[in-house]
Each structure stands twice: as C-alpha cells, then as structure tokens.
C-alpha cells in the first residue's frame, strides 16, 4: 500500500499546524546552530593536527616508567602510596574511565541492591550516604578527598585516624590512582540512583512469580533481578564513564595532567596568551568524542527520552523489601557501610572546611564564619556569584522554550525523524563538556570574531548559549515525561471541539504539565549553576578573579580559589571556595527535595547526571 | 443533519492491517453502531472519521463534501472518548463551556446553554466540581454534555459506556438513545458489546479483522447473518460440522452424525460440508412445529439467574449451548432431547481456519 503524494501532503498539512512548525523549528535551529555546528567545527580543526603523532608515547605509552606504588614513612607511620603509572594522554584517560566505571558500577549496584531490596535497621542511613555525593561541590570535594585520602607532606586524615587507633600503617592515593579513587567516590552514586530507579520501576509480580517458583538468593538475583535492572545499570555506568572522561577536577587536584580533558582545558589556559595549540585540542576532542560515541551506540536506547519516561513513571506495584538476615546485616555493616561512609565523607568535609580557619594537616582548625563573609568581601568572589545568577537567569527562558518545544514535538508529532530528534535532544548529556567548550570556542571565535558572541570579547553570551544547550536535556526529559503521561485524548477532545493546536497547548497542555516544566527548569537551573567544563574554560576568558569585573561564574571562582596559595582576606582560599560550594550544595538539596517530594511522583530517576 | 460516507478506507500500522478496505454510509440523523471484537479496527475507523488518523487509502465525506484532508478542528465532528477525556484542571462548567468559548459565543449565552445541557443530562448542580470529584456516571454525562452543547454536526462515541458498571451502562445507553433521537444528530457509536449495539442503534455494522462483515438493522444482522463471522459472533452460539443432504431454497437439511438438522441456507448446496451455527435460544425442551429434534448428554449446567446455561454433547459431534428456564434445569449426566427452531440455525460453507479463529476469539 504505497502512500500517494496527495496523501503525504495531506498528512503533513494535518500534522504540521503553524504552531507545531514553530515548536519543531526551535530545537532544530538551536541544536543545529549551537550544538552540532560547534562540534562540526572541531572536526575541521582536527585536520590541522599531524595524526602521525598520536601513536607517540606522549599519547599512548605502553612502556611506562616508575612504580605504581611505594611505601613512604610520615611521622613514623608507614603509608602505602598508590600512584599508578603514566600511560600517555589518551591511554590514561581511557584506563581511568574504565577503572572508575567498573569500580563505581560494582559499588553503586551493591548499595542500590542492599537498600532497594532489603529492609534492615539503618537502611535509610545507607540511602542518605549514597545520595550525599550527588550534591555537587565542584573542585572542593576533590580538594577534601585529597585531604582525607591523598598524599602530601602531612598524614592524610584517614591514615592519621588509623595511627590514633594505634595502627602504624596507612594508605594514600596520588596521581593516577588518586584520580581513579576520587572519581569513584564522586560518581558511584550515579549508578546507585539509576539502579534504585530501575528497581522502583520493576513490577513486583515478576519477582514474586520467581519466588513462588522457588527461586531464592543469588539465583533470583542473577536470573531475574539483574537482567531486569540491567538497563539502569548500563545507563548509570555509561554516565559515569562520560563524567570520568570529561572530569578535570580530579586531574588538577591530584596533579595528574596527562589526560585528555586536562589537555583541552590547558588549551584555554594558554589561548588568551596566544600560545594555545588548537589542533592538538581538536584532535583530543575528536578522540574523546569517539571514545564516548562508540559505547553510546550500544546503550543508546537507555539514554533516550523513552527509557527515561518509563523509569520516571514507575511500576504498577513496587517491590516489597525483604528483611535482611543476620549474616546479610553483618556484611552490610562491615563491608558496605565503611565504603559508603568513606564516599560521603568528602561532602561532609566540604561543609566542615567551609566553617574552618584552615585545613592543611590531617584535621581542620578552628571555627569561623569568615569564609562566608569573604564571599561578599572579596570582589572577585562576589562578582562570580552575580555572574552566575545573571547567566542562569538568562539561560532559563532559553531552556524553557527549547525544553518544552522539543519535548512536546517528540511526544506528540508522529513523523519520521522524531527518534533522531530524541537522540539529538539527549546528546548534550553525553558529549564531554570540555569537547563542547572547545567546540563553542572555535565556532564562535571564528564565525563571530570581534562581536559580542566571540568568547574572547565577552564570554557571557557564549556561556549562556552553551548552558542552554548542555542543560536543557533535564527540562526536555521532565516535560516529555509530563506530556506522555497525559492522555492524548485530552488534547484530541479539545481539537474535535474546534480548538487549534496553539490553543490546545495554551489551555490544555501547559496547565497539565506545568509541574513537570517547573521541575525540569529547577533541575536545569542547579546544573547550570554547578556546571564546570564550559565555566572554567570559556568562563576563564573574561579575566581572572583578581579583577572585580571578571566574567567568570561561580565554578570558575571556586577553581581559582582552590588553586590559590597562601592566605586571602585572613583565611584559606580553599575554605572560601568550600563556603561557596556549600551554597551550591544547599540549593541542589532544596531543589532535589522539592522535586522528589512534591513536583513529580518518582523524583529519584531525575538525578541521573 | 449530516450524512456520512466512508469509501474504501484502508489503514496499516507498521505490518498490522487495521482496516482492509471499509465502506459505509450513515444516513442523516441515524444512530449507527460499529460492533466488533477488540482489535477489529472499529476505533481506528472512528478516529479516521474524526480526523485523528489519516487513511492510507480511501476517503471520508460529510454531506458529500470530502473531509479526508481536514483537521479534526475543521470537521465539526465531536467525539466522546472511552475514558471521557475530561480536563482535570477545569471545573465541569469550564469543561462544557470550552467548545462554546472557541466558537466565541458570548458568556451570557454560554451560561444559558451550559445550564440547558446540564438539565438535559440531569447533572445540574455539578458546575463547580472538578472531574475527580464526580462518579463514573456523572463524568460520562459531563463528557456527553461537553460534546452536545456545541450542537455538533456529527457525534462520535467511542465505547462511551465501557468504563461503567453493568447497571449504569444499561440506564445510560437508553438515555443516549433518547437524546440522540431528540436532538436529531447523526451519531456513530463504537462498541464491542453486542447487546449495547443492538439496543441503541438504528443500524449496525459488524466488523471483523479490518473489514465490515454486514450492515443492517439490529434484527437483520442478528436474525439473518450474511457471513459465518456475524452468525457466530452475535448472540451465544454453538458450531457443529455436518454434510448438506438436501437443499430446498431457503432451508437445507444437514446431517450431523446420526442427526438431521434443518437450518437456514446461507450459501451451501447439496454435498457441501457445512458449519451449522445454532443460537442458544434456538433450542427448547418442548416439541413444536417445524422443530428439529436432537439428542445428547448434559455435560454442564450453570445457573446464571434468569436462565440456566446448559451444554449438551451431541454424540461426539461437539457441544450445543442452550439457555433454559431455571424451572427446566437439567442435571449433568442426563440424556436430553432438544428441539431446534430452524429459523435460528444457519448452515454456512465450512471453513476450518475461520472457525478455529472464531473459537479462539470467543
């Protein structure tokens, strides 16, 4: 049955009302111009790179020099220092990402199964501990991880605690091993929340049927539960893999700069001085893109809106938790709890540091509010806050428009190509931030040179555009879930009463999905505020924080404070950074709590990035 | 009053054929029911008439005007949905007034018309409630009021009563029938409930597997089925296999095992293998003029209330289902003689494949 041309045209006329055309044009225009085109510009720059160099030891080093670990004695305590080896820029990134993904997945799945399947005294403590690292404190958490578990002239907190307990041995993480350790602590909760959401979407009858047929314990886990939640595990693992590849915080703090992300970041450090190597940055961006896209193709369906919507709606009847036996309880408290505490400690440490005079040795000293005073007293710091508020307020209308238009069109328009639009709208979550930053830089700097869009002239506009592109997926996903959980008959009823689509959207759709729009917008807002990659690269082009008129946002200020030495305003700059980070964490906590309590039925699934 | 014509409409969803060429003609002011099992394509057909789906082939006409390429909002056909689709964020009043506001009717006039339709449907006093504060029956009436208040050219009802309990369904179907008559609106009523279709409609289209099997008045389609499907689908029926011994115009004599059954001739000739379809009410325990006696063993006897559903095994030829008055209840294991009214027994050419499918659907 071949559709006639007349039929195709009539069908298009029926579906593509003017209001739908406008909605469709918005994401197509925005994502093409401000997402695909910048990524495309990277490819063009990639041609300038001498690709023969890529196999040299600088990028791939299969014969590393130096010991992966050694023993050092500090204040009479023998410390096992895990350091790792330098395998070259490209291989280091891949090895770190693989190790972090594996460790985070094991840990995240273990904690999620424990809290999701079993009921036992203290279960909520585990859940809270696993949730804490999701409150992002950019750079500061890595700084605290280094204080707690890192290697330096002084004992780290953990080894110091052991020595106080009379144990003369300790452990410290440094360089590559430090990056792997720190990223695992920071990212494993992403696997945790995704698995918890998958468990929440699991239909209890499927498990009860297996129990009913006699399946128990590991067999039940292996044959029924794990296969059913595998999509959640894969989605979480994939996100961790991407975050590890794009992370610059751990490499900066643990002083391990031979990774792709740091090298691209370094380009921005030198570009203002006119000595940046754009071709190398482009080449590394392309390799990073390939490293992400290849596995992404495998798990793509788990990162699409459809998968997300299914999770967000939850199961018809959720699982009843099983009471944990005595042996299980022992394992939970002896094996899992220490790890969960170790992983949550940095978040607590950030808060402690924010109220401390200084923290250079094993423990912080003194209690003060001066760090918060400095946020307002230091012109550079206060300027960062103002900048972030301005950029966020400017990007939110864009995010709202893109988010609603994209979600509505994907949910309701039945035309070929909608799957591609779905992929395009989810893609910003998957592309490493530094690649995006580099793309924006070469695209805007070359195409709009010496205009307000040129980041070297004023980074603010570029930041707002980039924020809207990178963080709109949170709004898109939330609105999408809202729209598809609204029966289409509600819109059809209005249409057959004579209402045009624009009126249907205004009078039926928006009043029914406004909560999803608000939830998405709040999420987007906190992720814009805590955005790192674009903020510390393009944001750094507008002057340093010593200037009261710099154009950098909060995360840029935090990074500079973390990197600063000595004492600023009578306090340790890292402590001021911590104070700033606690404000971000508080905002994140408020938004996440609001969303999971009131705005959406199953908010947990929202926290997947 | 609008006349609706559907010509050669075909529709596929991927590899599934939803409509395999459907044509029908609904007369002005008629209540036309589309009846069929789930998945037969009846809702798809209704949605094509409403404009929510576009046919792969074929056209739809309202009063001779081709509306196939028109959007739903341009057609003037108002639909009442199975889930009623009341807007949860609007009060009953706002739900009903919505269509009038689109038509830019002055608020004064809207008030009057909403009041009138509320009275018409017996739901005065609910204006300020929200849909979640209403019972199922009230919601159904509001949905109907919302459709009727705009005085639509065409009213499309998609299983409007299927979400209600049995008693309420019975009452509301009568009300819908009365209202439609009174307002003179052309209406199409989709349902899978044959009793409902036969009770409300002027004419019924029986649909099966994306095709229309038969169109006619309720009595025509029930008593004079033209296809095997219609014969088996309508009413409670049993199917036996036999061989046509003799044909004399309207009736045939079919041998089923050692029995000879007289049936209406529905396209068989002497020597054919025939499917003998017996309606449950064809059988009685009293001999009467022209009735065919048939003997068998009672296997099941289920008390349903107003009758006893009884299954009788006919000498290895299959089972006959009959409805008997409770006073004549037969115990399982007993031997019984039934008398079949040949006007409710039909002989169709035997098509093994189709009968197997029908048995599965039943």
């Amino acid at each position: 049955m071949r559709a006639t041309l007349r039929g195709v045209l009539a069908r298009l006329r029926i579906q593509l009302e003017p209001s739908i055309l406008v909605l469709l044009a918005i994401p197509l225009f925005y994502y093409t111009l401000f997402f695909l085109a910048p990524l495309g510009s990277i490819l063009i720059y990639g041609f300038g790179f001498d690709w023969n160099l890529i196999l040299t030891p600088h990028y791939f080093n299969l014969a590393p020099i130096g010991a992966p670990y050694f023993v050092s004695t500090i204040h009479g305590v023998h410390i096992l220092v895990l350091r790792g080896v330098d395998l070259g820029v490209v291989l280091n990134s891949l090895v770190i990402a693989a190790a972090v993904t594996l460790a985070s997945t094991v840990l995240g799945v273990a904690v999620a199964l424990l809290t999701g399947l079993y009921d036992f005294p203290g279960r909520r403590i585990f859940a809270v501990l696993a949730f804490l690292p999701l409150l992002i404190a950019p750079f500061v958490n890595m700084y605290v991880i280094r204080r707690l578990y890192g290697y330096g002239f002084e004992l780290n907190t953990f080894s110091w605690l052991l020595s106080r307990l009379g144990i003369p041995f300790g452990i410290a993480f440094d360089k590559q091993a430090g990056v792997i350790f720190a990223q695992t602590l920071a990212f494993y909760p992403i696997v945790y929340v995704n698995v918890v959401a998958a468990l929440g979407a699991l239909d209890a009858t499927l498990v009860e049927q297996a129990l009913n047929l006699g399946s128990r314990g590991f067999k039940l886990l292996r044959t029924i539960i794990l296969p059913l939640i595998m999509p959640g595990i894969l989605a979480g693992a994939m996100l961790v893999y991407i975050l590890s590849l794009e992370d610059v915080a751990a490499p900066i703090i643990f002083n391990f700069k031979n990774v792709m992300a740091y090298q691209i970041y370094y380009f921005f450090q030198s570009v203002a001085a006119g000595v940046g190597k754009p071709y190398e940055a482009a080449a590394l961006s392309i390799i990073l893109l390939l490293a992400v896209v290849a596995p992404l193709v495998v798990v793509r369906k788990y990162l699409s809106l459809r998968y997300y919507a299914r999770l967000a709606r939850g199961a018809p009847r959720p699982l009843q938790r099983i009471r944990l036996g005595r042996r299980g309880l022992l394992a939970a408290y002896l094996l899992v709890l220490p790890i969960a505490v170790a992983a949550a400690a940095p978040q607590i440490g950030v808060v402690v540091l924010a109220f401390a005079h200084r923290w250079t040795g094993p423990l912080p000293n003194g209690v003060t509010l001066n760090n918060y005073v400095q946020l307002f007293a230091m012109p550079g710091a206060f300027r960062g806050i103002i900048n972030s508020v301005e950029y966020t307020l400017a990007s939110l209308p864009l995010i709202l428009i893109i988010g609603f238009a994209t979600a509505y069109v994907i949910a309701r328009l039945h035309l070929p190509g909608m799957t591609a639009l779905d992929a395009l709208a989810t893609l910003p979550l998957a592309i490493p931030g530094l690649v995006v930053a580099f793309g924006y830089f070469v695209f805007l700097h070359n195409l709009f040179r010496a205009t307000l869009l040129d980041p070297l002239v004023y980074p603010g506009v570029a930041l707002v555009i980039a924020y809207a592109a990178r963080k709109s997926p949170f709004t898109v996903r939330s609105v999408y879930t809202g729209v598809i959980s609204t029966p289409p008959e509600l819109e059809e009823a209005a249409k057959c009463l004579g209402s045009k689509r624009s009126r249907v959207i205004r009078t039926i759709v928006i009043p029914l999905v406004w909560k999803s729009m608000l939830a998405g917008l709040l999420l987007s807002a906190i992720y814009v505020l805590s955005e790192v990659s674009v903020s510390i690269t393009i944001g750094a082009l507008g002057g340093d924080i010593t200037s009261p008129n710099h154009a950098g946002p909060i995360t840029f200020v935090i990074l500079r404070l973390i990197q600063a030495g000595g004492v600023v305003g009578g306090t340790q700059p890292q402590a001021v950074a911590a104070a700033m980070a606690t404000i971000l964490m508080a905002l994140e906590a408020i938004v996440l709590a609001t969303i999971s309590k009131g705005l959406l039925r199953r908010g947990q699934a929202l926290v997947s990035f | 009053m609008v006349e609706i014509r559907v010509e050669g409409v075909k529709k596929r969803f991927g590899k599934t054929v939803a409509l395999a060429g459907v044509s029908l003609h609904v007369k002005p002011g008629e209540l036309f029911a589309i009846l069929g099992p789930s998945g037969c394509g009846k809702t798809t057909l209704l949605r094509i008439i409403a404009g929510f789906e576009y046919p792969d082939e074929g056209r739809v006409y309202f009063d001779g005007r081709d509306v196939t390429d028109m959007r739903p909002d341009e057609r003037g056909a108002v639909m009442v949905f199975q889930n009623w689709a009341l807007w949860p964020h609007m009060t009953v009043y706002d739900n009903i007034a919505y269509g009038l506001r689109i038509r830019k009717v002055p608020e004064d006039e809207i008030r009057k018309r909403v009041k009138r339709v509320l009275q018409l449907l017996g739901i005065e006093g609910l204006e300020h409630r929200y849909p979640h504060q209403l019972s199922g029956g009230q919601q159904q009436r509001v949905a109907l009021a919302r459709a009727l208040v705009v005085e639509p050219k065409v009213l499309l009802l998609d299983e409007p009563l299927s979400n209600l309990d049995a008693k309420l369904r019975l009452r509301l179907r009568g009300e819908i029938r009365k209202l439609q008559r009174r307002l003179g609106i052309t209406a199409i009523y989709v349902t899978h409930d044959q009793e409902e279709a036969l009770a409300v409609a002027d004419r019924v289209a029986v649909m099966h597997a994306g095709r229309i099997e038969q169109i006619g008045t309720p009595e025509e389609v029930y008593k004079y089925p033209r296809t095997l499907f219609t014969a088996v689908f309508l009413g409670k029926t049993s199917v036996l296999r036999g061989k046509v011994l003799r044909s004399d115009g309207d009736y045939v004599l079919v041998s089923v095992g050692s029995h000879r059954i007289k049936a209406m001739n529905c396209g068989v000739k002497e020597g054919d293998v025939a499917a003998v379809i017996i309606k449950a009410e064809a059988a009685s325990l009293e001999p009467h003029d022209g009735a065919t006696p048939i003997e068998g063993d009672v296997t099941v006897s289920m008390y349903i209330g107003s009758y006893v559903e009884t299954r009788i095994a006919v000498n290895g030829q299959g089972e006959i289902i009959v409805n008997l008055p409770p006073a004549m209840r037969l115990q399982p294991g007993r031997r019984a003689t039934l008398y079949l009214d040949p006007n409710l027994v039909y002989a169709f050419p035997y098509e093994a494949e189709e009968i197997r499918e029908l048995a599965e659907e039943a």
Side-chain angles (χ1 to χ4, degrees):
Chain A
M1 237 181 286
R2 204 174 299 141
T4 59
L5 182 64
R6 182 184 170 188
V8 171
L9 290 177
R11 207 174 300 208
L12 283 177
R13 194 194 82 85
I14 289 172
Q15 287 221 31
L16 296 176
E17 289 171 67
S19 47
I20 279 287
L21 276 176
V22 172
L23 290 183
L24 183 61
I26 290 169
L28 286 181
F29 171 79
Y30 201 87
Y31 289 125
T32 307
L33 188 61
F34 292 124
F35 197 71
L36 293 181
L39 291 182
S41 338
I42 299 176
L43 297 181
I44 298 168
Y45 261 78
F47 287 116
F49 183 68
D50 178 2
W51 284 90
N52 289 320
L53 292 175
I54 209 72
L55 289 175
T56 58
H58 178 62
Y59 298 104
F60 282 93
N61 181 13
L62 293 175
I65 308 165
Y69 60 88
F70 58 91
V71 176
S72 162
T73 307
I74 303 172
H75 301 315
V77 179
H78 304 293
I79 305 287
L80 173 64
V81 183
L82 298 176
R83 180 166 261 183
V85 285
D86 187 348
L87 300 164
V89 171
V90 175
L91 209 50
N92 279 335
S93 281
L94 297 177
V95 166
I96 290 171
V100 170
T101 306
L102 185 69
S104 299
T105 305
V106 171
L107 192 55
V109 171
V111 179
L113 289 179
L114 188 65
T115 59
L117 293 181
Y118 296 100
D119 200 11
F120 55 93
R123 183 181 64 81
R124 294 195 72 81
I125 298 174
F126 282 78
V128 169
L129 286 175
F131 184 79
L132 273 186
L134 285 171
L135 304 177
I136 311 160
F139 300 103
V140 190
N141 65 332
M142 293 296 175
Y143 178 81
V144 175
I145 289 174
R146 180 145 187 213
R147 295 260 73 79
L148 294 173
Y149 311 106
Y151 177 59
F153 295 117
E154 293 284 338
L155 282 176
N156 61 37
T157 313
F158 181 65
S159 302
W160 178 83
L161 278 174
L162 290 180
S163 74
R164 290 298 172 103
L165 293 170
I167 303 167
F169 304 103
I171 194 164
F173 296 88
D174 194 29
K175 302 271 180 186
Q176 189 188 47
V179 173
I180 293 173
F181 180 74
Q183 289 184 348
T184 303
L185 293 194
F187 299 151
Y188 95 88
I190 289 160
V191 178
Y192 166 79
V193 283
N194 275 279
V195 176
V196 164
L199 282 171
L202 198 64
D203 186 347
T205 50
L206 296 174
V207 176
E208 283 162 6
Q209 179 69 82
L211 280 167
N212 189 245
L213 290 170
S215 187
R216 290 277 179 284
F218 272 106
K219 182 151 187 93
L220 178 69
L221 197 65
R222 195 171 48 80
T223 56
I224 307 291
I225 296 175
L226 278 181
L228 288 172
I229 61 168
M230 193 49 85
I233 299 175
L234 285 176
M238 186 67 211
L239 293 173
V240 168
Y241 172 76
I242 295 165
L243 282 180
S244 169
L245 280 178
E246 76 169 2
D247 179 49
V248 277
I252 290 174
I253 304 291
F254 285 88
N255 197 21
F256 188 69
K257 293 169 179 170
N258 268 355
V259 290
M260 289 192 272
Y262 185 87
Q263 293 300 316
I264 300 171
Y265 162 74
Y266 186 70
F267 162 78
F268 284 92
Q269 297 294 290
S270 40
V271 72
V275 293
K277 290 188 270 181
Y279 301 124
E280 189 198 20
L284 292 176
S285 295
I286 291 168
I287 296 172
L288 261 185
L289 267 182
L290 288 177
V292 168
V293 168
L296 197 62
V297 172
V298 181
V299 298
R300 197 199 92 63
K301 63 178 173 178
Y302 305 126
L303 290 178
S304 83
L305 292 172
R306 266 162 252 287
Y307 168 69
Y308 171 75
R310 211 169 62 231
L311 269 187
R313 267 183 298 177
R317 192 155 63 82
L319 276 176
Q320 286 282 326
R321 288 195 181 81
I322 308 163
R323 281 203 71 80
L324 193 60
R326 210 170 292 161
R327 260 189 298 172
L329 200 61
L330 210 63
Y333 274 98
L334 290 184
L335 287 176
V336 186
L337 185 65
I339 300 175
V341 170
Q347 254 50 28
I348 299 162
V350 170
V351 179
V352 172
L353 177 59
F355 291 99
H357 271 301
R358 48 190 282 112
W359 187 354
T360 46
L363 288 182
N365 286 335
V367 178
T368 178
L369 288 175
N370 185 31
N371 300 322
Y372 287 91
V373 176
Q374 287 306 312
L375 288 183
F376 301 94
M378 286 168 55
F382 190 62
R383 171 48 52 191
I385 295 173
I386 298 290
N387 287 341
S388 268
V389 170
E390 281 176 7
Y391 299 155
T392 307
L393 289 179
S395 63
L396 286 184
L398 279 177
I399 290 175
L400 182 64
I401 294 167
I402 301 167
F404 180 81
T406 313
Y408 185 77
V409 161
I410 296 173
R412 287 290 188 251
L413 198 58
H414 304 290
L415 286 180
M418 286 303 113
T419 322
L421 189 58
D422 178 345
L424 188 59
T426 336
L427 204 58
L429 288 181
I431 304 297
L434 284 155
V435 175
V436 177
F438 180 72
Y440 271 101
F441 177 77
V442 289
F443 177 68
L444 294 175
H445 176 60
N446 287 316
L447 217 65
F448 302 96
R449 191 168 296 215
T451 70
L452 214 56
L453 281 170
D454 182 350
L456 283 180
V457 174
Y458 173 62
V461 179
L463 282 176
V464 168
I465 293 172
Y467 288 156
R470 284 205 80 201
K471 304 304 177 186
S472 59
F474 295 102
T475 302
V476 176
R477 296 195 312 186
S478 184
V479 178
Y480 178 82
T481 312
V483 173
I484 62 157
S485 56
T486 309
E489 289 89 353
L490 295 179
E491 290 169 54
E492 291 174 348
K495 268 190 270 176
C496 70
L497 283 168
S499 188
K500 297 255 172 284
R501 180 86 76 155
S502 51
R503 189 177 182 135
V504 174
I505 290 171
R506 193 161 44 79
T507 57
I508 310 291
V509 181
I510 291 178
L512 289 175
V513 303
W514 72 268
K515 279 188 178 180
S516 307
M517 290 164 72
L518 182 62
L521 213 55
L522 284 173
L523 263 189
S524 291
I526 57 166
Y527 289 120
V528 165
L529 277 175
S530 53
E531 201 278 348
V532 170
S533 305
V534 180
S535 306
I536 61 162
T537 48
I538 290 179
L541 301 174
D544 206 63
I545 60 162
T546 46
S547 150
N549 293 320
H550 71 86
I554 288 177
T555 42
F556 163 74
V557 174
I558 290 177
L559 171 62
R560 284 292 181 270
L561 287 171
I562 287 286
Q563 288 174 319
V567 171
V568 181
T571 188
Q572 187 184 354
Q574 288 79 14
V576 180
M580 203 174 242
T582 54
I583 296 175
L584 277 183
M585 287 163 73
L587 284 176
E588 288 159 13
I590 292 168
V591 166
L592 295 178
T594 313
I595 289 170
S596 57
K597 280 270 150 42
L599 283 176
L600 285 178
R601 273 159 295 174
R602 279 174 192 271
Q604 290 151 307
L606 282 170
V607 196
S608 57
F609 221 55
Chain B
M1 283 194 274
V2 175
E3 172 204 42
I4 302 168
R5 245 175 342 111
V6 173
E7 280 181 7
V9 162
K10 294 185 180 176
K11 180 76 183 173
R12 269 170 182 276
F13 294 106
K15 283 185 180 158
T16 315
V17 178
L19 295 174
V22 167
S23 299
L24 54 83
H25 172 216
V26 182
K27 296 173 198 156
E30 187 176 36
L31 201 167
F32 188 90
I34 301 175
L35 170 67
S38 36
C40 73
K42 54 191 189 302
T43 294
T44 304
L45 178 58
L46 194 73
R47 290 175 61 80
I48 284 175
I49 296 171
F52 294 125
E53 301 286 351
Y54 192 84
D56 296 333
E57 280 178 46
R59 316 298 296 169
V60 178
Y61 301 90
F62 286 2
D63 273 346
R65 185 171 170 220
D66 189 344
V67 296
T68 321
D69 296 346
M70 286 182 170
R71 285 198 289 261
D73 53 287
E74 300 164 332
R75 293 192 184 195
V78 177
M79 187 141 153
V80 175
F81 292 84
Q82 186 170 3
N83 60 5
W84 310 315
L86 296 180
W87 300 303
H89 61 296
M90 291 186 199
T91 60
V92 167
Y93 182 90
D94 288 333
N95 262 283
I96 298 175
Y98 189 88
L100 297 173
R101 290 195 175 125
I102 288 167
R103 286 161 180 72
K104 300 202 163 56
V105 176
E107 276 299 321
D108 263 2
E109 172 74 13
I110 291 180
R111 252 194 305 280
K112 278 184 214 150
R113 283 172 68 173
V114 172
K115 196 173 170 202
R116 211 180 310 143
V117 80
L118 285 168
Q119 273 171 355
L120 188 68
L121 284 150
I123 45 173
E124 306 102 310
L126 300 180
E127 294 88 319
H128 303 298
R129 298 231 193 132
Y130 283 89
H132 71 269
Q133 298 168 317
L134 304 177
S135 70
Q138 289 170 333
Q139 290 188 46
Q140 207 286 329
R141 285 184 168 96
V142 174
L144 204 56
R146 183 176 68 184
L148 293 176
V149 78
V150 296
E151 293 166 6
K153 288 196 273 185
V154 173
L155 181 64
L156 304 172
L157 301 137
D158 183 12
E159 307 250 12
L161 304 180
S162 66
N163 285 346
L164 298 173
D165 63 64
K167 274 226 153 122
L168 199 54
R169 259 200 328 254
L170 220 59
R171 205 168 81 211
L172 280 172
R173 78 185 187 203
E175 287 180 21
I176 289 176
R177 178 66 185 145
K178 264 195 276 176
L179 272 173
Q180 184 270 341
R181 275 268 163 82
R182 198 162 132 195
L183 302 171
I185 304 168
T186 310
I188 300 182
Y189 191 114
V190 160
T191 179
H192 68 277
D193 181 334
Q194 42 176 297
E195 207 180 284
E196 200 171 292
L198 299 178
V200 300
D202 293 311
R203 285 192 306 146
V204 178
V206 180
M207 273 191 81
H208 172 54
R211 289 178 198 284
I212 289 188
E213 296 272 330
Q214 186 171 347
I215 299 178
T217 64
E219 194 174 349
E220 276 167 3
V221 293
Y222 190 84
K223 285 186 82 173
Y224 306 102
R226 261 189 262 125
T227 65
L228 182 62
F229 175 82
T230 312
V232 175
F233 181 68
L234 289 181
K236 201 181 287 175
T237 51
S238 322
V239 183
L240 299 178
R241 188 170 182 268
K243 195 168 181 186
V244 180
L245 295 176
R246 213 168 56 226
S247 163
D248 60 351
D250 291 345
Y251 295 96
V252 289
L253 195 66
V254 185
S255 79
V256 176
S258 58
H259 293 99
R260 304 279 179 274
I261 298 177
K262 191 176 172 189
M264 293 182 74
N265 185 353
C266 301
V268 289
K269 53 185 191 304
E270 266 181 46
D272 280 357
V273 177
V276 179
I277 320 293
I278 304 164
K279 301 262 187 207
E281 65 276 18
S284 70
L285 294 172
E286 305 283 326
H288 54 95
D289 263 4
T292 318
I294 186 165
E295 249 185 16
D297 301 310
V298 178
T299 56
V300 178
S301 162
M302 288 187 291
Y303 178 72
I304 308 288
S306 57
Y307 61 90
V308 179
E309 184 180 308
T310 311
R311 286 169 187 255
I312 292 167
V314 183
N315 297 349
Q317 300 301 313
E319 278 188 342
I320 301 181
I321 304 172
V322 296
N323 293 342
L324 297 175
M328 294 188 172
R329 186 167 188 177
L330 300 173
Q331 291 309 316
R334 245 193 77 171
R335 196 142 178 91
T337 304
L338 298 173
Y339 297 90
L340 302 178
D341 175 358
N343 293 312
L344 289 168
V345 180
Y346 311 90
F348 280 91
Y350 192 89
E351 285 161 40
E353 191 65 27
E354 192 170 355
I355 286 174
R356 196 177 312 125
E357 275 175 30
L358 288 173
E360 277 166 19
E361 280 173 18

